Amino acid sequence: MERPIVFYNKGQQLNGVLHSPKASDTPCPAVAFFHGFTGTKVEPHRIFVKTARELAAIGFYALRFDFRGSGDSEGDFSEMTIGGEISDAIKSIDVLAAMPGIDTERIGILGLSMGGCVAACVSGQDKRVKSTVMWAPLSDDPPDRKQEILERSKHTPTPEEIAQSNANVVGKAFYEELPEISPSALIQQFTGPLLVIHGSGDETVPVSHGKRYHELMCGRDALTKLEIIDKGDHTFNTVAAEQAVIAKSVAWFQQTLYKEAQR
């Protein structure tokens, strides 16, 4: 079953879709989805929809929603900040945790791109998160960050060009807050299982970002894995890449949130 869901944060309405499994006599696990920069609860080629449906089919609740200022939710994109999206993400976990039929000890999160950055921060801050999957996650300190910046600077558009080419205007608050956001530091407070999936051909967020998260976390006493999708781009825009990402993610949540609780 899929139904629209509305909740509120900071006085603004967030709109989403809740995917529910078939009726169960026992509480079920749940996963919250965090979309990327300028993205929505659907994401390219409906990859969030497809993944949520796969999870519901094996007994999970799945919540897809639009951050404030994105998609169908209230607010303006120019007011968007990473901190604001972290707050929205935590509120979505509040919503799941308050629902009858959901096991609050088996909540996972999945984030794409900047939503992966949000997932990293939330994982380290919210103890209710028991398993995390990040797709092409943005990091603040990949090993080749300096070289990446140098390469990008060769093709950096002017503010005027940006304004003409992109109607999603990023506000001043986003840039002012940015130095204070450190997902690589926050995620190190996370003690649960972590899966990072990145495409080797990602030109938007280079694979070094995903590798950095894995490098920071792989020494823990917790299941930690990095999956590189050969030739995969930023949003896994081929049938093969999409199928691989969905299958690996669903299997991960089944392994870390579902099977363990059924033993």
Side-chain angles (χ1 to χ4, degrees), residues 30-45:
V31 176
F33 288 64
F34 309 147
H35 66 73
F37 183 77
T38 72
T40 71
K41 59 185 176 293
V42 176
E43 284 297 11
H45 47 98

Side-chain angles (χ1 to χ4, degrees), residues 143-190:
D144 58 353
R145 181 67 168 169
K146 290 183 180 179
Q147 184 61 34
E148 178 191 331
I149 291 172
L150 286 172
E151 287 298 319
R152 293 190 177 206
S153 69
K154 297 176 183 177
H155 312 287
T156 301
T158 66
E160 292 76 15
E161 289 172 334
I162 293 173
Q164 291 174 5
S165 65
N166 192 343
N168 287 303
V169 178
V170 178
K172 183 180 179 182
F174 178 88
Y175 293 106
E176 288 180 340
E177 178 203 63
L178 208 53
E180 303 171 9
I181 301 295
S182 181
S184 61
L186 283 171
I187 198 171
Q188 292 182 69
Q189 299 175 36
F190 181 51

Side-chain angles (χ1 to χ4, degrees), residues 24-226:
S24 172
D25 295 332
T26 58
C28 299
V31 176
F33 288 64
F34 309 147
H35 66 73
F37 183 77
T38 72
T40 71
K41 59 185 176 293
V42 176
E43 284 297 11
H45 47 98
R46 305 177 79 217
I47 192 168
F48 269 17
V49 180
K50 297 169 186 176
T51 306
R53 287 176 176 171
E54 290 282 345
L55 284 168
I58 62 168
F60 281 75
Y61 285 86
L63 173 59
R64 301 180 290 110
F65 70 96
D66 296 321
F67 289 122
R68 285 173 293 149
S70 294
D72 295 319
S73 291
E74 195 173 355
D76 191 87
F77 188 80
S78 64
E79 300 169 342
M80 178 273 303
T81 64
I82 295 178
E85 293 195 348
I86 292 170
S87 176
D88 292 345
I90 291 173
K91 181 62 67 172
S92 74
I93 297 173
D94 292 342
V95 170
L96 285 174
M99 287 182 181
I102 289 180
D103 185 345
T104 58
E105 292 300 314
R106 293 190 286 155
I107 293 177
I109 59 176
L110 185 157
L112 166 64
S113 191
M114 197 167 85
C117 167
V118 170
C121 295
V122 173
S123 296
Q125 290 179 284
D126 195 323
K127 299 302 182 185
R128 295 173 297 181
V129 177
K130 304 303 181 184
S131 183
T132 297
V133 173
M134 304 193 300
W135 295 349
L138 180 69
S139 172
D140 53 324
D141 70 338
D144 58 353
R145 181 67 168 169
K146 290 183 180 179
Q147 184 61 34
E148 178 191 331
I149 291 172
L150 286 172
E151 287 298 319
R152 293 190 177 206
S153 69
K154 297 176 183 177
H155 312 287
T156 301
T158 66
E160 292 76 15
E161 289 172 334
I162 293 173
Q164 291 174 5
S165 65
N166 192 343
N168 287 303
V169 178
V170 178
K172 183 180 179 182
F174 178 88
Y175 293 106
E176 288 180 340
E177 178 203 63
L178 208 53
E180 303 171 9
I181 301 295
S182 181
S184 61
L186 283 171
I187 198 171
Q188 292 182 69
Q189 299 175 36
F190 181 51
T191 58
L194 173 68
L195 171 64
V196 180
I197 303 179
H198 220 117
S200 66
D202 191 337
E203 296 182 358
T204 304
V205 177
V207 70
S208 58
H209 289 241
K211 288 180 177 178
R212 179 55 174 161
Y213 281 118
H214 181 257
E215 177 185 295
L216 289 169
M217 302 295 283
C218 64
R220 306 172 304 141
D221 186 23
L223 190 61
T224 307
K225 192 171 185 180
L226 172 66

